[in-house]
Amino acid sequence: MGKKIASGSLLALCSTLAFAHPGDALTSTAAGFIHPFTGWDHFLMLLAFGVWSAKSLGKASVGLQITFMLTLAFGASLGFIGLSFLGVEMAVAISVIAMGLLVTVKPPKSAIVRVSIVATIAMLHGLAHGVELSSQHYVSVMIGMLLATALISGIGYWVGSHRNQLVYWVNKGLALLMLGVGIMLLMV
């Protein structure tokens, strides 16, 4: 367990600050869809969230996914109408670090705690996005962002659900690679 926390901490510390909108021209559904793929903070956080939510088996994991999407949209709406706070970007950065650490441990047994974690992280990310959206493009951009969010966190969920099989195939692939490199080294 100590190795998992150490590796999660190292990955979290290697991330850059979460600057959600470095001059993006978010003016369409396509731009909103592409946006979460263009920054490590967005992409890795959503992927890690999907992996973490897969650890909550059954209906609970689906509930976490739905909670995230709804709270993200709600937070974006609040940010859009001007409700935010100084330091929201720093809070987003801290939430990325937190998600990196959470993925290394089992989710809390309490559903209320899991939902609270998810809602807090989604609200922060939603606020950060909402404050910079223009009124004429808000709905189309949010549709794109929510579709990408569902896709990336869904991929993370799939990875989390199939981690035992993935570890098996990664180990087999690594073994074959090592065998090939070893044979090449013997031939030199």
Side-chain angles (χ1 to χ4, degrees):
M1 170 122 145
K3 286 182 182 180
K4 288 182 181 179
I5 291 174
S7 62
S9 299
L10 181 62
L11 288 173
L13 291 173
C14 291
S15 67
T16 59
L17 282 178
F19 294 106
H21 313 98
D24 291 352
L26 298 175
T27 58
S28 67
T29 303
F33 183 82
I34 291 169
H35 183 74
F37 291 94
T38 61
W40 286 105
D41 57 322
H42 300 320
F43 187 77
L44 290 178
M45 199 286 304
L46 291 170
L47 202 60
F49 164 68
V51 169
W52 185 72
S53 68
K55 292 180 180 183
S56 299
L57 300 175
K59 293 179 183 176
S61 59
V62 174
L64 290 175
Q65 294 281 336
I66 292 169
T67 298
F68 190 92
M69 299 287 289
L70 292 175
T71 311
L72 180 73
F74 181 66
S77 298
L78 292 177
F80 177 71
I81 62 171
L83 296 175
S84 189
F85 61 92
L86 189 61
V88 70
E89 292 292 348
M90 183 61 72
V92 167
I94 292 167
S95 75
V96 171
I97 292 168
M99 196 74 249
L101 294 173
L102 284 170
V103 98
T104 66
V105 297
K106 289 182 181 178
K109 292 188 187 297
S110 168
I112 293 171
V113 172
R114 287 191 311 264
V115 168
S116 297
I117 290 168
V118 167
T120 300
I121 290 172
M123 181 66 72
L124 291 170
H125 285 261
L127 283 170
H129 286 88
V131 296
E132 295 192 4
L133 295 177
S134 66
S135 59
Q136 67 260 29
H137 304 293
Y138 174 77
V139 172
S140 62
V141 170
M142 282 309 301
I143 289 170
M145 280 188 185
L146 290 172
L147 288 171
T149 295
L151 177 64
I152 297 168
S153 65
I155 290 169
Y157 180 84
W158 183 87
V159 168
S161 298
H162 294 85
R163 64 186 173 273
N164 291 336
Q165 290 123 340
L166 290 173
V167 168
Y168 172 81
W169 287 108
V170 167
N171 287 339
K172 294 293 183 193
L174 183 60
L176 286 173
L177 179 64
M178 299 289 288
L179 178 65
V181 169
I183 290 170
M184 286 175 40
L185 289 173
L186 287 174
M187 295 172 69
V188 175

